[in-house]
Amino acid sequence: ETTNMSAVLHLGVNPIVWSNDDIPELGGDTSLETCLADASAIGFHGVELGHKFPTEPRALRAVLAPHRLQLIGGWHTGRVLERGVEEELKALGPHLDLLRAAGSKVLVYAECSGTVHSVRGAPLGARPTLGGGERAWASYCDRVSALACVVRERWGLTFTFHHHCGTIVQTAEEVDRLLAGTGDEVRLLLDTGHATLAGADAAALAARHARRVAHVHAKDCRPAVLCRARAADWPFLEGVVNGLFTVRSPHVLFHANATGAR
């Protein structure tokens, strides 16, 4: 997480570094206390939610407080494409209540209708795409915009859209179409690792959409593993367990920090 406050870059971390949400056995024996203690000792200012965190606001604040960590966001497995706005809001409401009560300002939203990213045997080439041309994209963008407006107006949270490999918004072109079809109520969660795996230039994507970036997942791809993953059309999680992702160099964060991304 980055935020431009008096030209200082503040960093948070995702607990998936310690315990994977899609592969529970990966880091399954690492306690939440270890995760939080490490994050604080490293110098992070906050953490995103993970599957080991309490789901009651008071208990969640209680585990963060001793480590002086803020809650900086939380992933939602979105399905507004297949559910529609009203049904999606019903599914999303408890998560938003928790985020707001625990002091988070950001919702991390990924469109997971038909996603293959969490399916161990499904190659990325089998991911869903949004058929129907411009009309389908316009309809989908209208749904996302309507959802984001309610999230902002009712809960006071920033709606950040996480482009994610294995979903209908994976490529740079799909990110471009999403942002072109929505307004400022929809902000971008820029994930440099996912952008790279999808074949995009992450720095160019950051520069092109700097004004809309509100949250950053900063990571890179190991070139040798990336080549193998692309050549064999690996499932997303095959890349994860083979060490595809690593730490990102800081030049992408410059674009985000320059425009006040959180």
Side-chain angles (χ1 to χ4, degrees), residues 58-77:
R58 184 177 299 179
L60 179 54
R61 291 193 299 268
V63 299
L64 295 175
H67 304 283
R68 298 186 178 182
L69 292 170
Q70 302 171 24
L71 182 66
I72 58 174
W75 163 284
H76 173 71
T77 300

PDB file of all heavy atoms in Angstrom, residues 58-77:
ATOM      1  N   ARG A  58     -14.251  -5.573  16.863  1.00  0.00           N
ATOM      2  CA  ARG A  58     -13.511  -5.336  18.102  1.00  0.00           C
ATOM      3  C   ARG A  58     -12.328  -6.297  18.226  1.00  0.00           C
ATOM      4  O   ARG A  58     -11.218  -5.897  18.599  1.00  0.00           O
ATOM      5  CB  ARG A  58     -14.433  -5.477  19.307  1.00  0.00           C
ATOM      6  CG  ARG A  58     -13.750  -5.156  20.641  1.00  0.00           C
ATOM      7  CD  ARG A  58     -14.728  -5.252  21.784  1.00  0.00           C
ATOM      8  NE  ARG A  58     -15.821  -4.302  21.634  1.00  0.00           N
ATOM      9  CZ  ARG A  58     -16.834  -4.186  22.477  1.00  0.00           C
ATOM     10  NH1 ARG A  58     -16.910  -4.988  23.535  1.00  0.00           N
ATOM     11  NH2 ARG A  58     -17.782  -3.295  22.270  1.00  0.00           N
ATOM     12  N   ALA A  59     -12.559  -7.552  17.874  1.00  0.00           N
ATOM     13  CA  ALA A  59     -11.479  -8.540  17.945  1.00  0.00           C
ATOM     14  C   ALA A  59     -10.390  -8.232  16.915  1.00  0.00           C
ATOM     15  O   ALA A  59      -9.196  -8.415  17.184  1.00  0.00           O
ATOM     16  CB  ALA A  59     -12.039  -9.938  17.706  1.00  0.00           C
ATOM     17  N   LEU A  60     -10.796  -7.751  15.746  1.00  0.00           N
ATOM     18  CA  LEU A  60      -9.828  -7.407  14.712  1.00  0.00           C
ATOM     19  C   LEU A  60      -8.954  -6.237  15.156  1.00  0.00           C
ATOM     20  O   LEU A  60      -7.717  -6.279  15.024  1.00  0.00           O
ATOM     21  CB  LEU A  60     -10.563  -7.064  13.413  1.00  0.00           C
ATOM     22  CG  LEU A  60      -9.705  -6.664  12.213  1.00  0.00           C
ATOM     23  CD1 LEU A  60      -8.649  -7.714  11.911  1.00  0.00           C
ATOM     24  CD2 LEU A  60     -10.596  -6.422  10.996  1.00  0.00           C
ATOM     25  N   ARG A  61      -9.562  -5.212  15.702  1.00  0.00           N
ATOM     26  CA  ARG A  61      -8.780  -4.069  16.200  1.00  0.00           C
ATOM     27  C   ARG A  61      -7.845  -4.498  17.323  1.00  0.00           C
ATOM     28  O   ARG A  61      -6.715  -4.010  17.446  1.00  0.00           O
ATOM     29  CB  ARG A  61      -9.710  -2.952  16.674  1.00  0.00           C
ATOM     30  CG  ARG A  61     -10.471  -2.252  15.557  1.00  0.00           C
ATOM     31  CD  ARG A  61     -11.114  -0.971  16.046  1.00  0.00           C
ATOM     32  NE  ARG A  61     -12.086  -1.214  17.102  1.00  0.00           N
ATOM     33  CZ  ARG A  61     -13.384  -1.403  16.911  1.00  0.00           C
ATOM     34  NH1 ARG A  61     -13.880  -1.383  15.671  1.00  0.00           N
ATOM     35  NH2 ARG A  61     -14.202  -1.618  17.922  1.00  0.00           N
ATOM     36  N   ALA A  62      -8.309  -5.448  18.133  1.00  0.00           N
ATOM     37  CA  ALA A  62      -7.508  -5.896  19.277  1.00  0.00           C
ATOM     38  C   ALA A  62      -6.242  -6.635  18.849  1.00  0.00           C
ATOM     39  O   ALA A  62      -5.207  -6.532  19.515  1.00  0.00           O
ATOM     40  CB  ALA A  62      -8.351  -6.794  20.192  1.00  0.00           C
ATOM     41  N   VAL A  63      -6.288  -7.382  17.738  1.00  0.00           N
ATOM     42  CA  VAL A  63      -5.082  -8.087  17.309  1.00  0.00           C
ATOM     43  C   VAL A  63      -4.109  -7.157  16.597  1.00  0.00           C
ATOM     44  O   VAL A  63      -2.889  -7.403  16.595  1.00  0.00           O
ATOM     45  CB  VAL A  63      -5.402  -9.314  16.408  1.00  0.00           C
ATOM     46  CG1 VAL A  63      -6.249 -10.323  17.148  1.00  0.00           C
ATOM     47  CG2 VAL A  63      -6.033  -8.903  15.098  1.00  0.00           C
ATOM     48  N   LEU A  64      -4.613  -6.092  16.003  1.00  0.00           N
ATOM     49  CA  LEU A  64      -3.746  -5.150  15.292  1.00  0.00           C
ATOM     50  C   LEU A  64      -3.077  -4.151  16.230  1.00  0.00           C
ATOM     51  O   LEU A  64      -1.915  -3.766  16.017  1.00  0.00           O
ATOM     52  CB  LEU A  64      -4.551  -4.389  14.233  1.00  0.00           C
ATOM     53  CG  LEU A  64      -5.125  -5.205  13.073  1.00  0.00           C
ATOM     54  CD1 LEU A  64      -5.989  -4.311  12.188  1.00  0.00           C
ATOM     55  CD2 LEU A  64      -4.022  -5.849  12.251  1.00  0.00           C
ATOM     56  N   ALA A  65      -3.804  -3.741  17.255  1.00  0.00           N
ATOM     57  CA  ALA A  65      -3.341  -2.646  18.117  1.00  0.00           C
ATOM     58  C   ALA A  65      -1.974  -2.885  18.761  1.00  0.00           C
ATOM     59  O   ALA A  65      -1.130  -1.976  18.765  1.00  0.00           O
ATOM     60  CB  ALA A  65      -4.392  -2.355  19.187  1.00  0.00           C
ATOM     61  N   PRO A  66      -1.689  -4.064  19.327  1.00  0.00           N
ATOM     62  CA  PRO A  66      -0.384  -4.249  19.969  1.00  0.00           C
ATOM     63  C   PRO A  66       0.804  -4.072  19.020  1.00  0.00           C
ATOM     64  O   PRO A  66       1.914  -3.781  19.460  1.00  0.00           O
ATOM     65  CB  PRO A  66      -0.446  -5.690  20.494  1.00  0.00           C
ATOM     66  CG  PRO A  66      -1.892  -6.007  20.591  1.00  0.00           C
ATOM     67  CD  PRO A  66      -2.535  -5.258  19.472  1.00  0.00           C
ATOM     68  N   HIS A  67       0.538  -4.239  17.731  1.00  0.00           N
ATOM     69  CA  HIS A  67       1.604  -4.133  16.732  1.00  0.00           C
ATOM     70  C   HIS A  67       1.593  -2.770  16.029  1.00  0.00           C
ATOM     71  O   HIS A  67       2.385  -2.541  15.115  1.00  0.00           O
ATOM     72  CB  HIS A  67       1.467  -5.260  15.705  1.00  0.00           C
ATOM     73  CG  HIS A  67       1.467  -6.619  16.327  1.00  0.00           C
ATOM     74  ND1 HIS A  67       2.619  -7.229  16.780  1.00  0.00           N
ATOM     75  CD2 HIS A  67       0.443  -7.477  16.600  1.00  0.00           C
ATOM     76  CE1 HIS A  67       2.308  -8.413  17.285  1.00  0.00           C
ATOM     77  NE2 HIS A  67       1.001  -8.590  17.191  1.00  0.00           N
ATOM     78  N   ARG A  68       0.675  -1.912  16.443  1.00  0.00           N
ATOM     79  CA  ARG A  68       0.539  -0.566  15.861  1.00  0.00           C
ATOM     80  C   ARG A  68       0.373  -0.630  14.344  1.00  0.00           C
ATOM     81  O   ARG A  68       0.973   0.138  13.593  1.00  0.00           O
ATOM     82  CB  ARG A  68       1.739   0.308  16.240  1.00  0.00           C
ATOM     83  CG  ARG A  68       1.876   0.528  17.741  1.00  0.00           C
ATOM     84  CD  ARG A  68       2.983   1.501  18.083  1.00  0.00           C
ATOM     85  NE  ARG A  68       3.057   1.725  19.528  1.00  0.00           N
ATOM     86  CZ  ARG A  68       3.919   2.559  20.115  1.00  0.00           C
ATOM     87  NH1 ARG A  68       4.783   3.238  19.373  1.00  0.00           N
ATOM     88  NH2 ARG A  68       3.918   2.698  21.425  1.00  0.00           N
ATOM     89  N   LEU A  69      -0.463  -1.547  13.922  1.00  0.00           N
ATOM     90  CA  LEU A  69      -0.748  -1.724  12.508  1.00  0.00           C
ATOM     91  C   LEU A  69      -2.166  -1.265  12.203  1.00  0.00           C
ATOM     92  O   LEU A  69      -3.093  -1.508  12.972  1.00  0.00           O
ATOM     93  CB  LEU A  69      -0.593  -3.197  12.115  1.00  0.00           C
ATOM     94  CG  LEU A  69       0.827  -3.764  12.145  1.00  0.00           C
ATOM     95  CD1 LEU A  69       0.787  -5.277  11.987  1.00  0.00           C
ATOM     96  CD2 LEU A  69       1.689  -3.129  11.066  1.00  0.00           C
ATOM     97  N   GLN A  70      -2.329  -0.623  11.055  1.00  0.00           N
ATOM     98  CA  GLN A  70      -3.643  -0.226  10.579  1.00  0.00           C
ATOM     99  C   GLN A  70      -4.187  -1.291   9.632  1.00  0.00           C
ATOM    100  O   GLN A  70      -3.426  -2.016   8.995  1.00  0.00           O
ATOM    101  CB  GLN A  70      -3.548   1.105   9.827  1.00  0.00           C
ATOM    102  CG  GLN A  70      -2.978   2.253  10.608  1.00  0.00           C
ATOM    103  CD  GLN A  70      -2.726   3.457   9.729  1.00  0.00           C
ATOM    104  OE1 GLN A  70      -3.335   3.617   8.680  1.00  0.00           O
ATOM    105  NE2 GLN A  70      -1.811   4.307  10.150  1.00  0.00           N
ATOM    106  N   LEU A  71      -5.508  -1.354   9.535  1.00  0.00           N
ATOM    107  CA  LEU A  71      -6.121  -2.190   8.510  1.00  0.00           C
ATOM    108  C   LEU A  71      -6.209  -1.349   7.242  1.00  0.00           C
ATOM    109  O   LEU A  71      -6.834  -0.294   7.241  1.00  0.00           O
ATOM    110  CB  LEU A  71      -7.509  -2.662   8.933  1.00  0.00           C
ATOM    111  CG  LEU A  71      -8.194  -3.593   7.932  1.00  0.00           C
ATOM    112  CD1 LEU A  71      -7.449  -4.922   7.831  1.00  0.00           C
ATOM    113  CD2 LEU A  71      -9.647  -3.827   8.313  1.00  0.00           C
ATOM    114  N   ILE A  72      -5.575  -1.800   6.171  1.00  0.00           N
ATOM    115  CA  ILE A  72      -5.472  -0.976   4.971  1.00  0.00           C
ATOM    116  C   ILE A  72      -6.308  -1.491   3.810  1.00  0.00           C
ATOM    117  O   ILE A  72      -6.198  -0.976   2.690  1.00  0.00           O
ATOM    118  CB  ILE A  72      -3.999  -0.850   4.533  1.00  0.00           C
ATOM    119  CG1 ILE A  72      -3.388  -2.231   4.275  1.00  0.00           C
ATOM    120  CG2 ILE A  72      -3.197  -0.096   5.578  1.00  0.00           C
ATOM    121  CD1 ILE A  72      -1.986  -2.191   3.695  1.00  0.00           C
ATOM    122  N   GLY A  73      -7.143  -2.465   4.048  1.00  0.00           N
ATOM    123  CA  GLY A  73      -8.000  -2.956   2.977  1.00  0.00           C
ATOM    124  C   GLY A  73      -8.286  -4.430   3.147  1.00  0.00           C
ATOM    125  O   GLY A  73      -7.707  -5.107   3.996  1.00  0.00           O
ATOM    126  N   GLY A  74      -9.179  -4.914   2.301  1.00  0.00           N
ATOM    127  CA  GLY A  74      -9.531  -6.322   2.368  1.00  0.00           C
ATOM    128  C   GLY A  74     -10.167  -6.791   1.076  1.00  0.00           C
ATOM    129  O   GLY A  74     -11.040  -6.120   0.514  1.00  0.00           O
ATOM    130  N   TRP A  75      -9.720  -7.927   0.605  1.00  0.00           N
ATOM    131  CA  TRP A  75     -10.180  -8.538  -0.649  1.00  0.00           C
ATOM    132  C   TRP A  75     -11.631  -8.985  -0.551  1.00  0.00           C
ATOM    133  O   TRP A  75     -12.063  -9.551   0.454  1.00  0.00           O
ATOM    134  CB  TRP A  75      -9.285  -9.725  -0.965  1.00  0.00           C
ATOM    135  CG  TRP A  75      -9.794 -10.720  -1.974  1.00  0.00           C
ATOM    136  CD1 TRP A  75     -10.754 -11.674  -1.777  1.00  0.00           C
ATOM    137  CD2 TRP A  75      -9.356 -10.859  -3.323  1.00  0.00           C
ATOM    138  NE1 TRP A  75     -10.937 -12.408  -2.922  1.00  0.00           N
ATOM    139  CE2 TRP A  75     -10.091 -11.932  -3.893  1.00  0.00           C
ATOM    140  CE3 TRP A  75      -8.406 -10.202  -4.111  1.00  0.00           C
ATOM    141  CZ2 TRP A  75      -9.903 -12.348  -5.208  1.00  0.00           C
ATOM    142  CZ3 TRP A  75      -8.219 -10.628  -5.424  1.00  0.00           C
ATOM    143  CH2 TRP A  75      -8.962 -11.685  -5.956  1.00  0.00           C
ATOM    144  N   HIS A  76     -12.371  -8.745  -1.641  1.00  0.00           N
ATOM    145  CA  HIS A  76     -13.710  -9.326  -1.787  1.00  0.00           C
ATOM    146  C   HIS A  76     -13.762 -10.076  -3.108  1.00  0.00           C
ATOM    147  O   HIS A  76     -13.377  -9.554  -4.154  1.00  0.00           O
ATOM    148  CB  HIS A  76     -14.791  -8.255  -1.774  1.00  0.00           C
ATOM    149  CG  HIS A  76     -16.159  -8.795  -2.080  1.00  0.00           C
ATOM    150  ND1 HIS A  76     -16.860  -9.593  -1.195  1.00  0.00           N
ATOM    151  CD2 HIS A  76     -16.945  -8.679  -3.191  1.00  0.00           C
ATOM    152  CE1 HIS A  76     -18.024  -9.928  -1.729  1.00  0.00           C
ATOM    153  NE2 HIS A  76     -18.106  -9.392  -2.934  1.00  0.00           N
ATOM    154  N   THR A  77     -14.236 -11.314  -3.059  1.00  0.00           N
ATOM    155  CA  THR A  77     -14.421 -12.131  -4.251  1.00  0.00           C
ATOM    156  C   THR A  77     -15.702 -11.679  -4.935  1.00  0.00           C
ATOM    157  O   THR A  77     -16.800 -12.133  -4.609  1.00  0.00           O
ATOM    158  CB  THR A  77     -14.497 -13.622  -3.876  1.00  0.00           C
ATOM    159  OG1 THR A  77     -13.272 -13.990  -3.228  1.00  0.00           O
ATOM    160  CG2 THR A  77     -14.693 -14.497  -5.099  1.00  0.00           C
TER     161      THR A  77
END
